[in-house]
Amino acid sequence: MNAPQTSAQLQPQARQRPVPAALLAALSARFGARCSTALAVREQHGRDESAFTTVPPPAAVVYAESTSEVAEVLRLANEHGTPVIPYGVGSSLEGHLLAIEGGISLDVSRMNQVLAIHPEDLTVTVQPGVTRKQLNEELKHLGLFFSVDPGADASIGGMSATRASGTNTVRYGAMRENVLALEVVTPHPVKGSEVIRTGSRAKKSSAGYDLTRLFVGSEGTLGVITEITLKVYPLPEAITAAVCSFPDIGAAVRTTIEIIQLGVPIARVELLDANTVRAVNKHSKLTLREEAMLLMEFHGSPASVREQAETVQALAADQGGQAFEWAETPEERTRLWTARHAAYFAGLQTRPGCRAITTDACVPISQLATAVVESVDEANAGGIPYFLVGHVGDGNFHMGYLIDPDSADERARAEQLNHQLVHRALRLGGTCTGEHGIGLHKMGFLPEETGDGAVEVMRTIKRALDPKNIMNPGKIFAL
């Protein structure tokens, strides 16, 4: 096992590349007010929800409104060897957006059009700045919905770049399964930039390398995603949500394992520990029992939904589950899921002024109880306040360690806990990140998970597509 990182190593050292005045002048001339060097704008684009706090902001922010403008920014940046960091809404958790080598933040949030909906094929094509909630508002009048729900109202471009998942993944899959095709702008050694397309609206293909999957999860290190074609789904005829409390977190996890192994087609099954339920009650003014809890949702016909829920209720009772409560109206369901999605910020509010060091390990479902229970035991012994939530139906769980950002000791202890949790996940056949991505925070774990040979293949691809290393440099792995 590798030694844990020290607190000094957890704040990346800036290796700023100078941004030529000629590049800033060219961008200003081309984009006018849409190229900003104002400190407030730069600082907004130079931080995310990670615990990193000492990285200088980018030298400028450019707001692109079309694929051709993205291509022009990349062409100019490539000419000057200047880093470009794609930016959506800034909700990432692992330092993806930080300008650790300086450069330009390329904001694509104004590229927010739904370009085409093909209800007969259950597909939609969008620009990268479209957000999850915006897309579902566009789809609902057609009786359709987009399934991937990471909690935050993230942009579709950012969700694609980080291979996001979320609460619906157990039934509908993550971004990996739901992105059919992409348009991507990549650097080019001669032309400066090039627009390529990957995939199609067909549900499957055997045509060449799967470039769509290469860019989904590339975290902005290979190019800028400018169009995404997605699968969408019919809205279920019936939806029922339920909550159930358990005497301990192990009983809740064992219930989840039985649900999945029995093949119940549950749409959502979320774990909240007692700390999280307590925080959610205070933040969202709820009265949930302050014990380990599963928050579940069932989709299908009225008869199938009732059958699924009754099966799960019986499984939960066998593990000591109690206070099984239904939420059948849209208003009740929305209230519960809004509270769940606010769990991260509810946790932060339990310790004003804190920062959260988060993790999101994922393990095979058979190993979930071991991973969660041992991680909770370590956290309780470690003396750092924490909260736990999990998309446990697919073996994915998150712990947020709440630290005083000015305390090197607390930061080091939290990272020690994170280190132990991740190594446990790897030992149990899992991964260091189920959905957040590698970014900066988890770079040290990637070689251990994939092996040095696989990381070198990734470096080879990066060098081939981005020979000047301008695309979000210093993320995922070091060159």
Side-chain angles (χ1 to χ4, degrees):
M1 180 181 296
N2 297 331
Q5 295 168 296
T6 67
S7 58
Q9 291 171 312
L10 297 171
Q11 294 298 331
Q13 298 299 310
R15 302 177 295 276
Q16 301 286 300
R17 304 188 206 175
V19 176
L23 172 60
L24 294 176
L27 291 171
S28 180
R30 170 62 182 84
F31 292 95
R34 290 191 286 124
C35 175
S36 177
T37 57
L39 180 60
V41 175
R42 292 163 48 218
E43 287 182 338
Q44 175 196 351
H45 288 74
R47 62 173 179 259
D48 58 10
E49 294 297 330
S50 73
F52 297 112
T53 58
T54 62
V55 180
V61 176
V62 176
Y63 295 86
E65 295 181 351
S66 67
T67 298
S68 62
E69 289 188 350
V70 171
E72 191 161 1
V73 172
L74 258 63
R75 179 185 63 79
L76 289 168
N78 205 18
E79 177 183 329
H80 292 278
T82 298
V84 174
I85 304 101
Y87 184 97
V89 298
S91 58
S92 63
L93 290 162
E94 303 291 0
H96 299 90
L97 306 176
L98 305 185
I100 60 169
E101 296 192 21
I104 307 300
S105 177
L106 179 56
D107 188 318
V108 296
S109 62
R110 299 184 185 183
M111 297 175 64
N112 60 356
Q113 300 299 308
V114 175
L115 300 174
I117 302 175
H118 298 274
E120 66 281 4
D121 294 323
L122 298 177
T123 67
V124 62
T125 299
V126 302
Q127 291 183 309
V130 171
T131 65
R132 172 181 64 86
K133 291 181 181 179
Q134 176 193 350
L135 177 56
N136 277 319
E137 281 296 314
E138 295 269 358
L139 292 172
K140 69 179 182 181
H141 74 283
L142 297 170
L144 302 173
F145 78 108
F146 174 60
S147 64
V148 182
D149 177 4
D153 191 21
S155 67
I156 301 299
M159 291 166 63
S160 300
T162 56
R163 202 185 298 133
S165 56
T167 60
N168 283 315
T169 302
V170 62
R171 178 158 181 171
Y172 298 99
M175 291 300 286
R176 180 181 64 185
E177 289 78 33
N178 285 287
V179 175
L180 292 170
L182 296 171
E183 178 185 80
V184 185
V185 182
T186 64
H188 191 277
V190 177
K191 296 183 288 185
S193 64
E194 184 171 32
V195 180
I196 66 170
R197 290 185 174 272
T198 75
S200 70
R201 289 198 300 112
K203 291 298 173 74
K204 63 179 183 178
S205 173
S206 295
Y209 294 163
D210 192 346
L211 296 181
T212 303
R213 299 299 173 275
L214 174 62
F215 285 101
V216 172
S218 61
E219 303 184 18
T221 63
L222 300 178
V224 183
I225 296 170
T226 51
E227 281 186 21
I228 309 102
T229 298
L230 303 161
K231 296 179 185 178
V232 294
Y233 298 87
L235 284 167
E237 180 184 359
I239 301 175
T240 294
V243 295
C244 185
S245 298
F246 292 84
D248 57 71
I249 203 162
V253 175
R254 289 191 296 273
T255 300
T256 303
I257 293 172
E258 291 181 1
I259 292 169
I260 301 306
Q261 292 179 342
L262 193 62
V264 177
I266 195 166
R268 290 168 157 175
V269 53
E270 294 288 299
L271 172 67
L272 290 75
D273 77 324
N275 293 338
T276 309
V277 177
R278 193 174 301 114
V280 163
N281 275 345
K282 184 175 181 180
H283 181 271
S284 299
K285 297 179 173 57
L286 298 179
T287 56
L288 300 168
R289 290 175 63 127
E290 294 181 353
E291 300 174 335
M293 173 179 291
L294 291 180
L295 171 56
M296 299 163 282
E297 193 167 275
F298 309 92
H299 295 178
S301 67
S304 69
V305 161
R306 174 63 61 174
E307 181 182 5
Q308 293 170 41
E310 289 175 349
T311 299
V312 169
Q313 186 171 9
L315 293 174
D318 289 342
Q319 293 290 342
Q322 54 187 324
F324 199 97
E325 298 179 12
W326 305 91
E328 294 183 321
T329 69
E331 294 78 14
E332 291 173 323
R333 293 197 310 273
T334 297
R335 190 165 180 241
L336 281 175
W337 286 109
T338 298
R340 161 59 185 91
H341 289 328
Y344 175 77
F345 296 103
L348 290 178
Q349 288 181 2
T350 64
R351 190 178 187 189
C354 73
R355 299 282 291 190
I357 291 180
T358 62
T359 191
D360 73 314
C362 187
V363 297
I365 192 69
S366 63
Q367 302 299 320
L368 183 61
T370 298
V372 170
V373 172
E374 290 185 7
S375 298
V376 166
D377 288 345
E378 287 176 347
N380 287 331
I384 298 290
Y386 70 92
F387 62 91
L388 183 151
V389 295
H391 317 309
V392 285
D394 50 21
N396 187 195
F397 67 101
H398 312 274
M399 295 192 74
Y401 304 105
L402 304 174
I403 65 165
D404 176 348
D406 297 323
S407 171
D409 174 67
E410 287 193 12
R411 184 179 293 273
R413 281 192 286 151
E415 287 294 345
Q416 174 71 37
L417 291 169
N418 178 52
H419 184 90
Q420 293 169 185
L421 184 153
V422 169
H423 279 287
R424 178 177 301 108
L426 296 179
R427 186 174 68 251
L428 295 174
T431 175
C432 67
T433 173
E435 59 185 0
H436 293 171
I438 294 294
L440 285 172
H441 194 209
K442 294 197 169 176
M443 289 174 63
F445 298 121
L446 184 63
E448 184 172 351
E449 176 172 334
T450 67
D452 291 337
V455 174
E456 189 55 38
V457 170
M458 297 180 204
R459 288 193 180 100
T460 301
I461 294 169
K462 166 75 169 171
R463 293 183 184 115
L465 294 181
D466 182 19
K468 292 186 179 180
N469 191 25
I470 68 165
M471 295 307 310
N472 204 11
K475 314 298 168 55
I476 304 181
F477 47 77
L479 284 182

